Amino acid sequence: MARHLKSRKKRKHYAVPVAGSSPGLIYIAENALEPKISIHAFNATEYTIEETNTISHLKNLLNNKNLTFWIDIKGFKSESLFELLNEDFNINKLVLEDITRTYQRPRFEEYTDHVFAVSRMLFFDEDSNLENEQMSFILTDNALFTFQEGYNNCLDPIRNRLKAGKGNIRISGSSYILYAIMDVIIDKYFEILNVWGEDLDAVEDRLIDKPDRSIMYDIQGIKRNLISIRRVAWPERDKLNDILRSDSPLITDQTKMYIHDAYDHCIQIIDIVESLKEISASNMDMYLSIISNRMNEIMKVLTIMSSIFIPLTFIAGIYGMNFARQDPVTGMLMPDNMPELYARHGYLYTVLIMVVIAILQVIYFWRKGWFK
């Protein structure tokens, strides 16, 4: 069966704010990773990348309006990092809280000089379990900040496109980078759904060949995963629709044209999810029907065997009562007792009668079609 259905993965628990706590608090988890920051600077003719662990020099760097910047931040174990974002780039503290509280649903928010967006990034880990991580975006006039809690490399396709310098990715501004990353995330949904579609095909083959109890657990695992992707696909679609309706000058008309294409892809994903849910429900119904039919066949065999042996048991029970015709001590005759008990060859006659009765029952059941 599918690799990611080998074992049930424990549900991931997110840190939620303490009731009554002040809004805008930056949350740094105990197991947070050290920041790894990649600063991509590019235009139509040049491309550079700087690996660092601080953004203290970034404000001066972004003053160069001839370049577009993508600041890729992985790991949140630095409260000073987020304080600099608040001080140097006037990022609202509520936004910074939403970045570090990684349970947010996909959404889009507009501010005076920047926009904030959230996507949910799905991928399989090394044990083929489905991971659901938050990807946060802050878009300014010439820069895009992305925030990931972990170190996974799901955005390598964007880095490769920037290095190659082909297409619109270097010349269409920071909003196009925002679209390109969201498009990669949505395309990943297609890949995951394709895996689950193949899993359901394999389940159907197993149902036809040799159904067993593990099929039920595999189907349930796929249904649980489909619910996970449905929970991110619907708000992702709403978020893209909000971007299309936005009047923010940071989102260009050219980018909105591509965003509309991503919106269509998101609708396709929702349709595929619903189709796979129907297929999984159909496979579960088929499994239960097969098990029910198998149980009916077992009950049918037991019923036939019981029907054959009931009259034989009746005969054996009667002649097992041993009510003798004559008292062996006094020799007195016992009226209404069993005269056949001491009949010559009585055992053979009784067995023969029982065999004949069994054969007649088998013939009767066969003619009724019970053995088909």
Side-chain angles (χ1 to χ4, degrees), residues 58-75:
L58 190 58
K59 184 176 182 180
N60 293 330
L61 192 63
L62 296 187
N63 288 331
N64 186 353
K65 301 301 180 180
N66 294 322
L67 294 173
T68 301
F69 296 88
W70 170 30
I71 299 90
D72 184 20
I73 301 174
K74 297 179 180 179

Side-chain angles (χ1 to χ4, degrees), residues 152-297:
N152 68 78
N153 295 318
C154 292
L155 301 184
D156 280 346
I158 303 299
R159 299 182 183 94
N160 294 335
R161 288 172 61 187
L162 284 172
K163 291 177 182 178
K166 297 179 180 179
N168 297 324
I169 194 163
R170 284 197 192 175
I171 61 177
S172 298
S174 55
S175 63
Y176 186 87
I177 300 294
L178 173 68
Y179 150 75
I181 295 175
M182 290 183 179
D183 188 56
V184 167
I185 292 173
I186 293 173
D187 287 344
K188 193 66 178 179
Y189 297 170
F190 280 110
E191 295 179 14
I192 293 171
L193 289 174
N194 184 58
V195 171
W196 292 337
E198 293 176 355
D199 291 344
L200 287 174
D201 291 340
V203 165
E204 192 168 351
D205 293 339
R206 291 166 60 198
L207 280 171
I208 297 173
D209 296 338
K210 186 180 179 182
D212 54 53
R213 184 177 297 179
S214 64
I215 289 177
M216 179 177 63
Y217 301 130
D218 292 340
I219 294 175
Q220 190 61 34
I222 295 174
K223 289 180 68 175
R224 186 173 63 250
N225 288 332
L226 288 172
I227 291 173
S228 297
I229 197 169
R230 186 180 185 274
R231 290 177 63 185
V232 302
W234 279 93
E236 184 72 22
R237 184 200 66 171
D238 294 339
K239 180 195 72 179
L240 294 175
N241 186 50
D242 290 341
I243 295 176
L244 290 174
R245 295 174 179 272
S246 170
D247 294 327
S248 173
L250 300 176
I251 311 290
T252 65
D253 292 338
Q254 181 188 20
T255 299
K256 287 185 178 180
M257 179 180 65
Y258 292 106
I259 289 287
H260 192 279
D261 182 66
Y263 176 82
D264 292 338
H265 290 172
C266 214
I267 293 177
Q268 293 177 29
I269 287 169
I270 294 172
D271 291 340
I272 294 173
V273 168
E274 296 301 322
S275 298
L276 292 180
K277 284 181 64 179
E278 292 179 5
I279 293 173
S280 61
S282 175
N283 285 343
M284 181 65 80
D285 292 341
M286 184 186 299
Y287 168 76
L288 295 176
S289 177
I290 291 173
I291 295 301
S292 177
N293 289 336
R294 179 185 292 177
M295 182 61 67
N296 289 339
E297 290 296 324

